[in-house]
Amino acid sequence: MSIPITLATARRILTQLRHDRRTVGMMVLVPTLVMALLYYVIGDQRSFNAWTPVLLCVFPFLVMFLVTSVATLRERTSGTLERLMASPLGKLDLLLGYGLAFGLMAAVQVALVLAVSLTWLGFELGGPVWPLVVVALGNALLGIALGLLCSAFARTEFQAVQFMPVVMIPQLLLGGILVPRDRMATVLEWISNVLPMSYAIEAMKLAVAGAGGDFWRDMAVVAGSAVLALVLGAATLRRRTP
Amino acid sequence: MERGRREVLHGVSFEVPRGMILGLLGPSGCGKTTLMRSVVGVQVVAGGTVTVLGEPAGGPGLRAKVGYSTQSPAVYDDLTVAENLAYFASVLGAPRGDVGRVLGEVGLGGAAGQVARTLSGGQRSRAGLAVALLGSPELLVLDEPTVGLDPVLRNELWELFHRLTAERGMTLMVSSHVMDEASRCDRLLLMREGEILADDSPGALRRRTGTDDLEKAFLRLVAERERAADGAERPGPGNGAGERP
């Protein structure tokens, strides 16, 4: 692993984004616009207060998963990955470069949506804001890591995009947003117990209440899952291919 | 050696001394790219050994010493030529000034600020070549570097290749399916269907096949090989197997 190469990779990815203003605009603005839409659809401050943390939790994951899986798939199919694998770049340099660059984008995204929610939309939190920021960024990292991993199993951008509902919807259904996890059938609860998003959602609920209880344990599970996905992702990057 | 699920190279064996231009020639699909990928160390090699500059191919110590340009140029479409080169220069640990130098060497200085997506085919392949020239590689592996270029540019690049060997002592491995480029190499590997038909200098090949035209020489070698193969299958009087010189 080399820090200069990791930083050069992150800078390169951000430069690529700079040439694609529309993508950047959508990454940064869409979550905020959806939040505003939700506010007017619900029209009731108390329900809005309950739903805002859910969106704050889901959006960074969703957007980062999509962007990362498509970006790394492009790297695999365009031949640049083969060129990089023949160079002194380490696999972790590449993965951390992606993590850094998209993590930065996620931070901008979360900052904007939180700022707008807390001011214009009148979102009220019982406690401090930072636990929600921690959950949102942890989720963004999880999305980046899973996106990197899933791109290894996609051959085309169509397939990569289809992985989003595959990875996302079961985790949301089983994560305890719609039905509390302890009220699900036992088998479903077991499955729910091994899905990282369940812990992210639990952490989000605790964050609203002031980050007590198992907040840090849940965040550790989310971070650990992200690291595991990154390591598995590194294993799918091969210097030699058939 | 296999690429995909197909055995591509069979019983290929050769050595290249430093400081020369080795030309890999043969029809497309004959195994040139697989052979080059093996030398660079990005190909899964099913059997045999590949040693490059005294180390096993693809070893960590070689990655900055072997310059490589792929057949379809490995550049980021959404970066400018200069941004592409700056990134690869940092990955390869090449000095900053290298970007300007290689842009001049491949004649792309005028397109430095252009986004790679908007380049012409010839410009793209020169951008890929420029990446291979970054740093100070000892071996350059160039897969069809002159494809899609006009004769003037092709000539300029071949002059550059000769300067690289003469002035900087580099070793070049250049593939092409254009026979008129063969005469500009110091040594030729003529390949067909995953086998090496001939491994010789252009002059020696011309003498051996009794023709000045390397294209004809190639065809004669193919015919000769097929006669030998027929002989091996149906041995008859005056047509013994293994009679090839």
Side-chain angles (χ1 to χ4, degrees):
Chain A
M1 209 205 121
S2 135
I3 290 168
I5 295 183
T6 304
L7 292 178
T9 304
R11 201 177 325 119
R12 183 262 295 174
I13 295 159
L14 290 173
T15 314
Q16 283 179 292
L17 281 176
R18 217 185 57 222
H19 284 285
D20 186 357
R21 298 226 173 100
R22 198 174 302 172
T23 298
V24 175
M26 301 226 284
M27 276 168 94
V28 173
L29 291 180
V30 168
T32 305
L33 294 175
V34 171
M35 197 65 99
L37 182 64
L38 179 79
Y39 174 79
Y40 289 109
V41 168
I42 292 182
D44 158 25
Q45 196 72 44
R46 262 188 59 199
S47 311
F48 177 71
N49 271 345
W51 276 100
T52 302
V54 177
L55 281 197
L56 269 175
C57 187
V58 170
F59 254 115
F61 180 91
L62 191 116
V63 175
M64 291 307 142
F65 180 87
L66 270 181
V67 175
T68 317
S69 54
V70 171
T72 44
L73 183 78
R74 271 194 209 159
E75 186 109 57
R76 284 175 205 269
T77 50
S78 69
T80 47
L81 184 67
E82 172 171 326
R83 183 64 193 82
L84 289 175
M85 287 292 104
S87 79
L89 170 129
K91 293 173 189 175
L92 262 186
D93 297 335
L94 186 68
L95 294 175
L96 293 179
Y98 269 102
L100 261 174
F102 287 131
L104 199 69
M105 290 305 298
V108 174
Q109 187 189 55
V110 169
L112 184 70
V113 72
L114 254 181
V116 170
S117 302
L118 286 168
T119 54
W120 177 28
L121 304 177
F123 170 51
E124 275 176 25
L125 256 170
V129 179
W130 64 262
L132 262 190
V133 176
V134 170
V135 177
L137 288 183
N139 252 350
L141 284 182
L142 183 65
I144 291 168
L146 285 175
L148 282 166
L149 178 60
C150 287
S151 76
F153 303 100
R155 301 226 158 161
T156 63
E157 292 181 16
F158 278 151
Q159 291 178 9
V161 172
Q162 297 295 329
F163 267 111
M164 201 270 290
V166 171
V167 171
M168 194 73 203
I169 293 179
Q171 295 210 75
L172 286 183
L173 290 179
L174 294 168
I177 296 181
L178 299 176
V179 180
R181 298 195 312 126
D182 50 13
R183 268 197 259 146
M184 290 175 196
T186 319
V187 178
L188 293 182
E189 198 187 335
W190 286 344
I191 300 175
S192 163
N193 284 342
V194 295
L195 296 177
M197 188 61 101
S198 309
Y199 297 87
I201 291 168
E202 196 173 280
M204 176 269 294
K205 288 176 179 164
L206 294 168
V208 178
D214 287 334
F215 178 78
W216 288 111
R217 187 210 66 176
D218 290 339
M219 281 319 295
V221 173
V222 172
S225 309
V227 170
L228 182 68
L230 269 186
V231 170
L232 291 175
T236 67
L237 294 176
R238 303 238 172 255
R239 292 229 181 243
R240 289 175 184 273
T241 49
Chain B
M1 192 179 296
E2 293 168 20
R3 172 127 193 244
R5 295 222 175 101
R6 205 164 54 89
E7 188 174 306
V8 179
L9 299 173
H10 338 276
V12 168
S13 173
F14 64 95
E15 273 179 46
V16 189
R18 286 188 189 224
M20 64 155 56
I21 302 183
L22 174 76
L24 243 64
L25 280 106
S28 70
C30 72
K32 299 187 294 282
T33 296
T34 305
L35 186 60
M36 299 190 118
R37 282 170 45 92
S38 315
V39 170
V40 176
V42 293
Q43 174 72 44
V44 175
V45 180
T49 53
V50 186
T51 307
V52 177
L53 307 170
E55 280 183 58
L62 283 176
R63 287 181 198 141
K65 286 193 212 160
V66 178
Y68 175 39
S69 79
T70 44
Q71 202 166 344
S72 54
V75 290
Y76 295 97
D77 271 342
D78 41 6
L79 292 182
T80 66
V81 176
E83 285 164 351
N84 263 295
L85 290 171
Y87 173 55
F88 283 108
S90 359
V91 168
L92 294 165
R96 273 271 159 197
D98 258 20
V99 173
R101 172 180 66 83
V102 298
L103 277 171
E105 282 174 343
V106 300
L108 262 186
Q114 213 173 315
V115 176
R117 189 186 298 112
T118 65
L119 296 175
S120 71
Q123 286 175 316
R124 269 181 79 84
S125 75
R126 277 182 289 154
L129 177 61
V131 172
L133 294 172
L134 288 167
S136 42
E138 292 172 36
L139 169 68
L140 281 184
V141 179
L142 310 175
D143 200 352
E144 309 245 356
T146 58
V147 86
L149 296 184
D150 63 70
V152 177
L153 272 174
R154 207 141 33 116
N155 191 43
E156 279 174 18
L157 285 189
W158 276 98
E159 278 167 10
L160 169 67
F161 296 162
H162 283 284
R163 276 204 311 279
L164 293 176
T165 51
E167 290 165 19
R168 285 191 242 161
M170 288 187 192
T171 311
L172 269 69
M173 203 169 167
V174 183
S175 76
S176 172
H177 58 265
V178 192
M179 287 295 164
D180 68 328
E181 294 191 333
S183 56
R184 315 193 73 159
C185 301
D186 300 313
R187 199 170 121 197
L188 291 175
L189 286 185
L190 292 187
M191 296 182 63
R192 188 166 179 269
E193 291 172 358
E195 288 178 353
I196 295 179
L197 286 185
D199 173 4
D200 228 330
S201 70
L205 275 174
R206 289 196 189 98
R207 278 194 298 281
R208 190 174 124 193
T209 52
T211 169
D212 265 353
D213 184 346
L214 283 166
E215 181 126 14
K216 278 191 192 137
F218 178 73
L219 292 173
R220 282 186 191 174
L221 285 165
V222 170
E224 197 178 285
R225 171 64 64 100
E226 274 168 5
R227 270 200 306 278
D230 283 350
E233 277 164 29
R234 292 179 271 106
N239 198 6
E243 239 182 22
R244 224 163 47 80

